[in-house]
Each structure stands twice: as structure tokens, then as C-alpha cells.
Amino acid sequence: MCGRFNIDPTPTKMRAILDALGPQASLIKTGDIYPGDVAPVLALATEGMEARAMSWGFPRWDGRGVVFNARAETALVKPMFRKALRACPVVVPTTGFYEWKTVPGSRKKEKYLFRREGEAILYLAGFAENLEPPRLGVTQCFTILTTDANESMAPYHDRMPLLLAAEECDAWLSGQGREKFLGRIPFAVQAKAADV
């Protein structure tokens, strides 16, 4: 958790982020985003926030796959994450994230898309590091922070992404109140059954 999210390019705010990538926009996958895919990420730049294309997931030490989530409770002390979290916080703009719930009395799982009511974009807190060698045409990768599920998420999963309101993105990127962000309970999200 979070193992997949969505990028719908049609909302005005998401289209503006994708357009800001310039030539890197051609690297971005839209629709369902999986670990290892290239996605738009917002990072701190000299003149405020800027959009960058990054690969989702830190390379695993054994070369097998990627680490696409980090626990908010321990990321500041884990050797794999602590330096990147302090040095390069990022915001992952999405149009929702997914979770699956087992159907009672069956082995089947239903897929749900989670969004914030009344908002076209859902912002996830994360952090990035340089990627060597580059992968899929990008030189940076990111991971998403997760935390304990709140009441709206608990019926579906015990973890959820660390969510940011649009007005909190600048503070997260600048490192203001980092520990407070890492320890808080995320705001409510709404579940909608999604096509598998």
C-alpha cells in the first residue's frame, strides 16, 4: 500500500502539471500507474515548485524490483530513506489511489479508487533520490510515504498514503513541520468501485 495510483490527464490542474514537464511529458504514463512507471512529481526548485518526470520506486539493494513505499513512522531512521527524505521531499499529484478488498465468502477482490471529495487532484507525500544508472529516460526516482489508515480507509486496508492538501504542498517541500506531517492522521477519502 500504496501499490497503484491513477493519472487522468483531463482535469485542468493535472493537464497544467503535465504541460509543465515540456519534453519530459512524453515519458509519462497515464491511467493506472504501477511501481517502476514514470510519473509526474512536484519538487522544490529555485523559483518554487516545479514538475519533474521520475520513476516510481527506489531500486532494491539486491537489484530485484523497487521499493515503492516507505512507512512514515520509520522513514527518518531507516538508512535507505532518511537522507533522501530530508534532502528531497516531493509531492506526487494523482487523480486517486487504489486498494483492493476481499469479497466476503470468496477469494475474489474488488478494486476501489480513493479520492478526496470535491477535489480533482489528490496529493501524496513522498521523497526522491538520484537514479544511477538512469531508467526509462529519467535520472530520479521517488517513493510514497504511507501511514496508518484513518476511519475512511480502515474498512479497505490498514495502511494508506500520507495525504497533503493543495495548500500544504509548499510546506512539505520546504521541510517545514516535517515531523508533524509524518505523525498526523490523513484526511478522509472516498472509495468508488473501479474497473479491474
Side-chain angles (χ1 to χ4, degrees):
M1 174 69 242
C2 163
R4 197 178 311 172
F5 61 89
N6 183 269
I7 299 287
D8 177 352
T10 56
T12 304
K13 287 181 182 178
M14 185 61 77
R15 175 50 45 204
I17 291 167
L18 295 172
D19 288 347
L21 289 167
Q24 281 193 316
S26 65
L27 303 173
I28 301 296
K29 180 183 174 213
T30 57
D32 287 1
I33 308 300
Y34 295 78
D37 287 344
V38 176
V41 173
L42 302 174
L44 195 61
T46 52
E47 304 216 0
M49 221 177 335
E50 74 175 8
R52 297 181 190 165
M54 295 187 192
S55 178
W56 183 18
F58 285 19
R60 289 178 54 92
W61 63 271
D62 59 5
R64 297 181 184 175
V66 295
V67 178
F68 51 88
N69 288 161
R71 293 177 75 92
E73 302 90 334
T74 58
L76 278 174
V77 296
K78 293 272 185 176
M80 181 177 198
F81 301 134
R82 63 185 175 211
K83 184 177 178 185
L85 175 53
R86 286 187 173 96
C88 194
V90 297
V91 174
V92 184
T94 73
T95 44
F97 67 91
Y98 295 104
E99 193 51 67
W100 287 257
K101 183 178 179 181
T102 303
V103 176
S106 146
R107 291 179 18 179
K108 181 181 174 188
K109 291 188 175 185
E110 292 180 334
K111 180 180 175 184
Y112 290 89
L113 177 65
F114 292 85
R115 303 181 74 181
R116 187 173 187 191
E117 184 178 9
E119 297 290 333
I121 305 294
L122 187 63
Y123 300 96
L124 314 182
F127 54 96
E129 69 177 4
N130 291 333
L131 186 58
E132 293 185 22
R135 183 170 67 211
L136 302 173
V138 296
T139 59
Q140 289 183 295
C141 58
F142 70 94
T143 192
I144 294 170
L145 285 156
T146 66
T147 190
D148 287 333
N150 62 22
E151 288 184 13
S152 66
M153 186 71 198
Y156 303 90
H157 201 279
D158 63 347
R159 304 286 297 170
M160 68 186 295
L162 186 60
L163 306 174
L164 300 169
E167 61 273 13
E168 296 175 322
C169 292
D170 285 329
W172 172 253
L173 293 176
S174 68
Q176 295 174 20
R178 181 180 295 121
E179 286 77 9
K180 184 178 176 184
F181 279 118
L182 293 173
R184 77 175 187 182
I185 298 170
F187 50 75
V189 289
Q190 289 188 318
K192 178 183 175 186
D195 296 331
V196 175

